[in-house]
Structure formats: C-alpha cells, structure tokens
Amino acid sequence: MITARSLTKCYDSFTALDDVSFSFPDAGIFGIIGHNGAGKTTLLKCIAGLIAPTSGELVVNGIDVVRDPVALKATLGYLPEESRLYETMTAEDYLAFFGEIYGIPKEEIVVRTRRLFAALSLEPDGKKLGEFSKGMKRKTAIARSLIHDPKFLVYDEATSGLDPMTSRFIAEYLKKLKNEGRTIVLSAHNLFQVEAICDRVMILRRGRVVASGTMKELREQFGSITYTIWFSVADPSRIDRREVPYREEDGYLACDTGDMAGLNACSAAITEAGGRVERIESRYPSLEEMLVAIGK
Ligand code: ATP
C-alpha cells in the first residue's frame, strides 16, 4: 500500500507538489499523468525516497518514507526518466555492480541476471553498454531496478523514446510484474499505454491532483458518452442538417449525438428520409481527450 497525505514539495518558492493525497493498494499498476512540469517526476522521486517532501506524510509498505527513506531501498526499485548507464561496462558487470551494493551473493546475482535478461529478451552478446541500442539500454535499466527483487517499482517514463515493438514488450512485461504481486507506480506520456495497463490513474495539474481513480471512474467524471450513427441515404438533401448534423467519412455519413433521445431522433429522421442506419458506435473520452480538456 502506498499512502500520501497532504504531500507538498517546494523548490525554493516554487510549489511543485501541492497538497497531494492518494492511496494505492498493493499489486496494481498506477499511472501518474499530466502535462510537462505537472509534478510527476517530483512525486515519483518522493515515493522512491530520493527527495524529501517539504511537508505531508508518505507511507510505502508501512515504511514512513519521510522519516526513514533508507529503509525503503531494499524493497523498492526505481527507474529514472533517463538512466545513465556506465558505458564501458557490460550488462552483466553492471547488474553485478548493483547486486553487490544490495548485498546479494555473487552466484545469486548471476542466476538473477540470466533470469532477468531472458524475461526481458535481452541478449547483450558481450557488448559494452555504450554499444547498446536505446531499447537494450532501457531493458538493462529495468533489469537493474529488479536485481534485488523489490516489491515496489517506481518507473519514470519506462517506454519513452522506444520503438512501438519494444515499448509494447515493456508494457506487457510490466503487466507480468504486476501479476507476480508487485506494485508499480509509473509516469508516462503515452496515454494509450496508460489506459491499457494501469489499474488506477491520477492526473496532476500544476502539482495538484485534479482526478484520480480507475479508468471507468475517470470516464464517468470527465465526460459523457458519444454515440456515432453511421448511415447511408440515396438523397442526403432529404435530411435536415439541423436535425441530423452529419458529416461524410469513409464513404458513409456519420452523425454524433450525446444521449439516447438524440440517437432515437436522428435514427427516425434518417429512416424517414429513406436512409438506413448501418451501425452505431458508442465511445467514452480517451485519457488524452481528458488531459486536453483539463488544460495546462
Ligand atoms: P515532465 O513531463 O516534463 O517530465 P513532470 O510532470 O515530471 O514534467 P517535474 O519534473 O516533477 O514535472 O517538475 C515539476 C515542476 O518543478 C517544474 O516546473 C520543474 O521546473 C520544477 N522542478 C523540478 N525539479 C526542480 C528542481 N530541482 N529545482 C527547481 N525546480 C524544479
């Protein structure tokens, strides 16, 4: 469980996090989203115990992060937005280096490294980290965050700048980590991916929480459903555009309406004009549309 109460972080006179409260249960993926500068990285660093909040309470797995940030290190893995790797090291040496910092026996480090590389489809082939592709570097950083088998993971933009295949692979891997019982807090600008993998999402705007909940709860809070009626008609001039405000799309005519009454009225007008309703789609706003609606 990760619980924050009235968390505030100021950089001199600038308030980057302002009275942030939330509670994330265990074994889930929690997405923190928001525009650039909203405070996502600041919050993740606070959760990881890397920076101290100015005020407020933050408890991860029963550990008071504000009072005892070091106690958290054994149970938490952090992936920074840009992980600078040691370019002249091999991936194996890199993981061994961090494994030793965590006090893991050498033989165990070798076993864990092999297991992590296999799970991440990472084949270093003896290359130095400086010769790795961006995707391989990110996978190595993820493996590093997992070498001590932490229960909590804090990932800042795990897939940013990666090709769609690698990005998707990592997203799927995060789901596997969750299914193993780990709790993941992540930030991401890829909102499509956040919708796909996160159990709960929190939206930050200028350091404040503007919304938090499951995707279903956010949809209910943020927007109404849109029904789109796709139809065909021999003579479109028979349809009153004030009654059925349609557009042409993909060879069909389409009209949006926000409720059942509108849907029924449009359908009746289309039928009356000799037309035929081909299909009806319903759609809730996407996270991207919610974020745009919230504004900077
Ligand atoms: P992005 O999506 O661009 O990564 P973010 O949501 O992660 O942004 P943060 O990096 O947490 O945002 O920054 C929040 C605000 O705090 C920004 O206005 C930033 O300029 C400011 N900030 C962050 N770190 C510091 C610092 N060390 N000193 C002063 N201001 C900072």
Side-chain angles (χ1 to χ4, degrees):
M1 174 84 104
I2 303 177
T3 309
R5 278 190 212 97
S6 291
L7 207 63
T8 296
K9 173 67 188 176
C10 302
Y11 296 109
D12 297 322
S13 60
F14 179 79
T15 306
L17 288 178
D18 190 0
D19 198 21
V20 169
S21 298
F22 58 85
S23 186
F24 295 150
D26 283 345
I29 306 183
F30 305 103
I32 316 283
I33 66 164
H35 298 289
N36 290 126
K40 302 178 294 295
T41 297
T42 300
L43 177 57
L44 294 184
K45 283 184 176 170
C46 285
I47 296 173
L50 296 170
I51 56 173
T54 309
S55 61
E57 266 179 52
L58 184 57
V59 178
V60 179
N61 200 28
I63 298 168
D64 185 330
V65 184
V66 182
R67 289 210 189 118
D68 196 0
V70 179
L72 192 64
K73 298 277 187 285
T75 177
L76 188 136
Y78 177 68
L79 179 78
E81 194 169 0
E82 278 179 41
S83 38
R84 296 210 174 78
L85 309 180
Y86 302 108
E87 306 264 298
T88 54
M89 269 188 178
T90 63
E92 288 85 351
D93 288 346
Y94 181 70
L95 260 69
F97 176 69
F98 280 92
E100 280 170 35
I101 292 175
Y102 284 107
I104 305 164
K106 279 203 168 77
E107 318 75 63
E108 177 62 18
I109 292 174
V110 173
V111 173
R112 287 190 190 189
T113 300
R114 264 196 221 125
R115 203 183 297 144
L116 284 167
F117 285 178
L120 282 157
S121 271
L122 187 64
E123 289 164 20
D125 291 332
K127 279 186 192 160
K128 301 259 187 332
L129 294 173
E131 300 167 78
F132 274 21
S133 69
K134 214 169 175 178
M136 288 169 82
K137 282 185 178 165
R138 208 61 180 147
K139 285 180 176 181
T140 307
I142 290 173
R144 199 256 304 130
S145 74
L146 288 161
I147 193 72
H148 56 304
D149 197 20
K151 191 164 175 285
F152 291 88
L153 296 166
V154 176
Y155 282 2
D156 202 348
E157 288 284 352
T159 61
S160 109
L162 303 182
D163 68 64
M165 280 262 288
T166 312
S167 172
R168 206 176 176 153
F169 178 90
I170 291 176
E172 287 302 315
Y173 185 61
L174 297 188
K175 282 205 265 180
K176 282 186 201 154
L177 293 174
K178 172 189 112 166
N179 292 336
E180 289 170 4
R182 295 181 217 263
T183 306
I184 305 169
V185 186
L186 56 83
S187 77
H189 283 292
N190 181 340
L191 301 180
F192 178 72
Q193 203 167 68
V194 170
E195 281 202 55
I197 67 169
C198 290
D199 298 290
R200 297 182 74 83
V201 177
M202 188 164 87
I203 306 178
L204 287 179
R205 179 176 179 270
R206 297 184 189 175
R208 294 189 74 97
V209 178
V210 283
S212 180
T214 61
M215 274 310 301
K216 185 170 177 288
E217 286 164 350
L218 291 185
R219 283 186 190 115
E220 281 163 9
Q221 186 181 339
F222 271 93
S224 40
I225 194 165
T226 302
Y227 298 101
T228 303
I229 307 166
W230 300 84
F231 65 96
S232 54
V233 60
D235 180 8
S237 71
R238 288 186 60 196
I239 294 182
D240 183 347
R241 266 200 141 124
R242 283 166 303 182
E243 218 177 342
V244 184
Y246 67 86
R247 61 183 184 279
E248 278 183 54
E249 220 176 291
D250 298 333
Y252 282 108
L253 304 174
C255 165
D256 293 334
T257 175
D259 55 30
M260 287 311 278
L263 188 66
N264 291 335
C266 288
S267 302
I270 291 163
T271 313
E272 203 167 304
R276 195 171 73 170
V277 173
E278 304 289 348
R279 68 177 198 277
I280 296 169
E281 282 171 6
S282 59
R283 198 176 66 83
Y284 278 102
S286 64
L287 257 189
E288 190 169 294
E289 286 164 323
M290 290 179 208
L291 208 57
V292 169
I294 286 167
K296 271 225 166 194

